Each structure stands twice: as structure tokens, then as C-alpha cells.
């Protein structure tokens, strides 16, 4: 954790958020950040047990006299959830290799998932739950919409909304992904003409599944069987006071998966059929499901419990971004191990990597939030070496 989130970076993010302390505390803002990360690493342990595990990793820490669950809860509230969000955005970066690119484009996937949160009154008001207002069902649920790199499973950006908010609306708050040199895959549930133009204006290329009634105005048929079509805004869905998105020229690719009757329709901004053949794009779209594996890694293997532990909306958001940081740090370690052993990230076990990280936290000097590390920090390096000596694991 201190390798991916060094103390200098934590202090910088805390300072930029205006959360620096005016007096020295036993539970400082820096230590609280690492405590929340450890809390997500050990989801089955209570607060005091997590504190004991962190203490086992660094015996030089001060005595915890007077520290209890209430003081740890107050310590979490002081920095707020935005510190964890900005820390995640500072460390999140692509981890894939050059040979993972598709014709020079980094392949990303956009999708959403739901996380159950404790059934407190404030969580229910902030996030909502399934069922009707008179007959609510289950736990309140936070909606997380994320962008992940398909080859490395690294989450690059994420935003948290409520159960009643659609993935389309929540995804509009994503602003730290895409750009020139990227290809974004998305499902038909996230389609929107204005969203298409916004992403294209950022330089992002798109490969999107579309409903059957869309993109039916054929402009030109291409040699590989795909065709160019014009998409216009739906005249019946114009909201009062809004301006329609302009039309878009897209390339349509239709195919059927063996054993299934439905025809899959894709639209893409890659209109050059010679450089980007339709068959290659159809095969590439299957990689969109990689983000479902990312959600499974976080929700099933890392979270380790059916419901998050935070009783307030700010605590829920803080905990979710902490889980994303832990996942990215684990994926970073896993991808470097794959490079050293000349393997691929897909052929290595995320669960085993998570066990390694947990052992390192509780090993002597494995988790040291107070001592700055030497050498260049991973978050500051953009050009990573091909061969890196992995850290020793006790």
C-alpha cells in the first residue's frame, strides 16, 4: 500500500483538499488514510483488529492508549470521502503493455455495478433501495460506474451514485478517462447521442452496442459487410429547455454469435474498414466483459462480505474509493509479477496476489505509513521498465 500510495502523495492530497491538521494527532490524516485502506484489505476484521494488524506490520508505531472504535470513526470523518477519491485519481493509471494495444489503441470498458450498504436511515435516503416507497426491499445500494483497462483490469476512473440513478446519468460524471489513443467499449444501456459526442470531442474512439431500431439510415455499404449510417436525436425524447445533440456518422457492424438467435449490432467511430476490419472489431467487443471480472474481483474476492461496513453516505463513498485503491495497488503488483515472469495478467490469480498483499501488511516493516520510501514512487513514474525485481514476500 505504501508503495502505490507513498506518504508524500497522501500528504499532498490531504493538503490540496484543505484537510491538513492544525495540531498533531495520534490518529493523523495520513495514518487514517492507511487505516481505511487496511480496513478494506481485512473486511472481516473490526476496527480494533485492523488496528492490531497495522501495528503488527510496524512495531515502531506509538502506543494506542485511549484509541477505541468511536475515536477511529471520528478519525475517518475528519478527512472526508473526497480525499480518498482524489487519492484514487492520483494513483489510477493504465498498467497494460504495448502489445496489449489494438492497432495502437488502449482498450477500455465502461459499465456499472451495485454495492449493498448498511440499512441506516441516512444511507437509505442517500442511495435508495429496490422496491416501491411503500414496500422497499433489501439493503440500500450504491451504484458504481467505472472505466477499466481490459488487458490489466486496472480501474482508471469511477463515480458513485444511488440506486435510483441510471448508469447513463452517473457515467456523465466520469471525467478522468479516455482521450486520444483509447478505444472505449460500452453496452447498449449506456448509449446516448450527446454522450457519444462528448467522448468523441475528448479524442476517444468508441465501440458501442446499439439497439435494433438505431442506426438504420444507411449511407454507404463497405466491402467487409459493415456500413456507414447516420444517427439523429430522437425527436420524441427532447426535454424542455434542452438542445438536441447533432447527428453522428457511425459505422455499423452486425453479426450473430454461434448458438444464439439475436443479432448483435455495434456502432463505432473507427470508419476505416481497411485498418479496422469488421471481424476484428466484433471479436474485440467480447473484451467488454473483462470489466465484469473486475467487479467480481472487488465485490467477491476483495470485499469478502455482502454489505459494506459504513453507516453514513460519506463513509460509504470513502470506503468504495478505498476499495478501488486497494484493487489498483494489487493489480499493479500482479502486473509487475506477470512482466517479470513473462506471463500475462489474465493468467495470474488476483486472489493469490491479494493474499500476498495481506501478508505483507502484517509482516515487520511491510506496512509503514510513517517512514517515507526511497526511490521513485510508482505514482510518479509513467514509463515503467520492462524488467522489475519484485519485492520479497516473507
Amino acid at each position: 500500500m505504501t508503495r502505490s500510495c507513498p506518504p508524500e502523495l497522501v500528504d499532498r492530497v490531504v493538503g490540496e483538499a484543505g484537510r491538513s491538521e492544525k495540531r498533531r494527532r495520534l490518529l493523523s490524516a495520513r495514518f487514517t488514510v492507511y487505516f481505511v485502506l487496511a480496513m478494506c484489505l481485512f473486511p472481516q476484521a473490526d476496527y480494533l483488529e485492523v488496528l492490531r494488524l497495522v501495528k503488527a506490520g510496524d512495531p515502531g508505531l506509538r502506543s494506542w492508549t485511549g484509541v477505541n472504535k468511536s475515536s477511529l470513526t471520528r478519525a475517518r470523518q475528519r478527512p472526508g470521502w473526497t480525499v480518498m477519491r482524489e487519492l484514487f485519481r492520483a494513483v489510477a493509471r493504465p498498467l497494460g503493455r504495448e502489445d496489449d494495444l489494438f492497432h495502437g489503441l488502449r482498450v477500455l470498458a465502461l459499465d456499472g455495478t451495485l454495492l449493498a450498504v448498511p440499512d441506516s436511515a441516512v444511507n437509505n435516503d442517500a442511495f435508495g433501495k429496490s422496491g416501491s416507497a411503500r414496500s422497499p426491499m433489501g439493503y440500500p445500494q450504491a451504484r458504481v460506474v467505472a472505466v477499466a483497462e481490459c488487458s490489466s483490469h486496472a480501474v482508471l476512473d469511477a463515480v458513485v451514485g444511488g440506486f435510483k440513478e441510471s448508469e447513463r446519468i452517473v457515467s456523465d460524471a466520469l471525467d478522468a478517462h479516455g482521450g486520444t489513443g483509447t478505444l472505449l467499449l460500452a453496452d447498449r444501456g449506456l448509449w446516448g447521442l450527446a454522450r457519444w459526442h462528448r467522448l468523441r470531442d475528448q479524442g476517444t474512439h468508441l465501440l458501442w452496442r446499439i439497439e435494433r431500431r438505431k442506426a438504420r439510415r444507411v449511407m454507404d455499404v463497405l466491402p467487409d459487410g459493415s456500413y456507414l449510417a447516420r444517427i439523429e436525436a430522437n425527436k420524441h425524447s427532447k426535454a424542455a429547455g434542452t438542445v438536441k445533440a447533432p447527428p453522428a456518422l457511425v459505422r455499423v457492424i452486425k453479426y450473430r454469435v454461434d448458438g444464439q438467435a439475436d443479432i448483435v449490432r455495434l456502432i463505432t467511430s473507427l470508419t476505416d474498414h481497411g485498418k479496422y476490419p469488421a471481424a476484428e472489431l466484433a471479436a474485440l467487443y467480447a473484451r467488454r466483459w473483462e470489466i465484469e471480472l473486475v467487479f467480481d474481483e472487488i465485490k467477491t474476492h476483495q470485499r469478502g462480505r455482502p454489505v459494506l461496513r459504513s453507516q453514513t453516505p460519506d463513509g460509504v463513498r470513502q470506503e468504495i474509493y478505498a476499495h478501488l485503491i486497494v484493487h489498483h495497488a494489487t493489480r499493479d503488483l500482479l502486473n509487475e509479477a506477470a512482466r517479470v515472469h513473462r506471463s500475462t495478467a489474465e493468467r495470474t490469480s488476483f486472489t493469490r496476489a491479494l493474499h500476498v498483499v495481506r501478508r505483507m501488511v502484517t509482516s515487520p516493516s511491510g506496512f509503514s505509513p510513517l517512514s517515507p520510501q526511497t526511490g521513485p514512487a510508482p505514482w510518479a513514474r509513467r514509463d515503467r521498465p520492462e524488467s522489475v525485481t519484485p519485492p520479497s514476500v516473507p
Side-chain angles (χ1 to χ4, degrees), residues 27-227:
L27 300 177
S28 64
R30 178 200 288 183
F31 182 80
T32 301
V33 167
Y34 288 111
F35 171 79
V36 175
L37 295 178
M39 185 184 74
C40 294
L41 264 177
F42 302 99
Q44 303 294 348
D46 61 26
Y47 277 13
L48 295 180
E49 181 61 23
V50 172
L51 201 61
R52 296 185 189 100
L53 293 170
V54 174
K55 176 67 174 176
D58 194 343
L61 292 176
R62 294 168 59 187
S63 172
W64 301 115
T65 304
V67 175
N68 53 33
K69 181 179 178 180
S70 297
S71 57
L72 289 169
T73 299
R74 291 192 297 272
R76 284 188 59 191
Q77 294 171 349
R78 284 194 293 270
W81 68 273
T82 56
V83 167
M84 205 62 72
R85 181 192 64 187
E86 296 307 313
L87 182 60
F88 164 69
R89 290 179 174 177
V91 301
R93 66 190 187 282
L95 303 175
R97 298 174 294 189
E98 291 297 322
D99 54 2
D100 294 324
L101 303 180
F102 174 77
H103 295 285
L105 298 174
R106 190 176 302 279
V107 182
L108 313 177
L110 169 67
D111 207 350
T113 189
L114 293 170
L115 294 172
V117 303
D119 195 2
S120 63
V122 287
N123 279 346
N124 190 26
D125 291 341
F127 300 109
K129 59 174 66 175
S130 61
S132 64
R134 292 185 177 182
S135 302
M137 300 172 58
Y139 287 94
Q141 299 186 80
R143 187 180 300 281
V144 181
V145 180
V147 174
E149 185 180 33
C150 293
S151 61
S152 67
H153 288 191
V155 179
L156 305 183
D157 194 15
V159 64
V160 181
F163 174 78
K164 300 297 184 181
E165 300 175 83
S166 70
E167 290 183 351
R168 298 181 183 183
I169 296 175
V170 175
S171 67
D172 287 337
L174 293 171
D175 56 5
H177 71 280
T180 304
T182 61
L183 174 60
L184 183 65
L185 315 181
D187 198 7
R188 53 192 168 189
L190 289 158
W191 161 253
L193 186 56
R195 192 170 299 108
W196 177 279
H197 284 295
R198 180 172 59 83
L199 293 169
R200 288 295 298 126
D201 290 342
Q202 296 174 4
T204 306
H205 279 293
L206 304 168
L207 181 61
W208 218 307
R209 189 171 180 180
I210 199 71
E211 296 175 354
R212 182 177 59 183
R213 64 178 182 271
K214 303 288 186 181
R216 300 179 66 179
R217 296 190 177 185
V218 179
M219 307 296 291
D220 189 19
V221 179
L222 303 177
D224 63 354
S226 61
Y227 58 90

Side-chain angles (χ1 to χ4, degrees), residues 173-301:
L174 293 171
D175 56 5
H177 71 280
T180 304
T182 61
L183 174 60
L184 183 65
L185 315 181
D187 198 7
R188 53 192 168 189
L190 289 158
W191 161 253
L193 186 56
R195 192 170 299 108
W196 177 279
H197 284 295
R198 180 172 59 83
L199 293 169
R200 288 295 298 126
D201 290 342
Q202 296 174 4
T204 306
H205 279 293
L206 304 168
L207 181 61
W208 218 307
R209 189 171 180 180
I210 199 71
E211 296 175 354
R212 182 177 59 183
R213 64 178 182 271
K214 303 288 186 181
R216 300 179 66 179
R217 296 190 177 185
V218 179
M219 307 296 291
D220 189 19
V221 179
L222 303 177
D224 63 354
S226 61
Y227 58 90
L228 300 180
R230 180 185 176 93
I231 296 183
E232 295 183 354
N234 188 343
K235 62 181 180 181
H236 299 294
S237 62
K238 181 181 179 181
T242 62
V243 179
K244 283 187 179 182
L249 181 67
V250 301
R251 179 177 167 211
V252 183
I253 301 169
K254 298 197 302 184
Y255 62 95
R256 181 183 285 111
V257 178
D258 291 343
Q260 297 185 15
D262 292 340
I263 295 178
V264 178
R265 288 172 173 82
L266 305 179
I267 58 173
T268 181
S269 59
L270 302 173
T271 57
D272 187 345
H273 66 277
K275 186 176 182 180
Y276 308 103
E280 291 187 12
L281 290 172
L284 179 70
Y285 184 75
R287 303 214 66 186
R288 191 197 70 79
W289 293 99
E290 296 291 339
I291 195 170
E292 300 292 348
L293 299 179
V294 173
F295 292 146
D296 177 71
E297 291 169 357
I298 296 174
K299 295 172 64 173
T300 304
H301 304 288

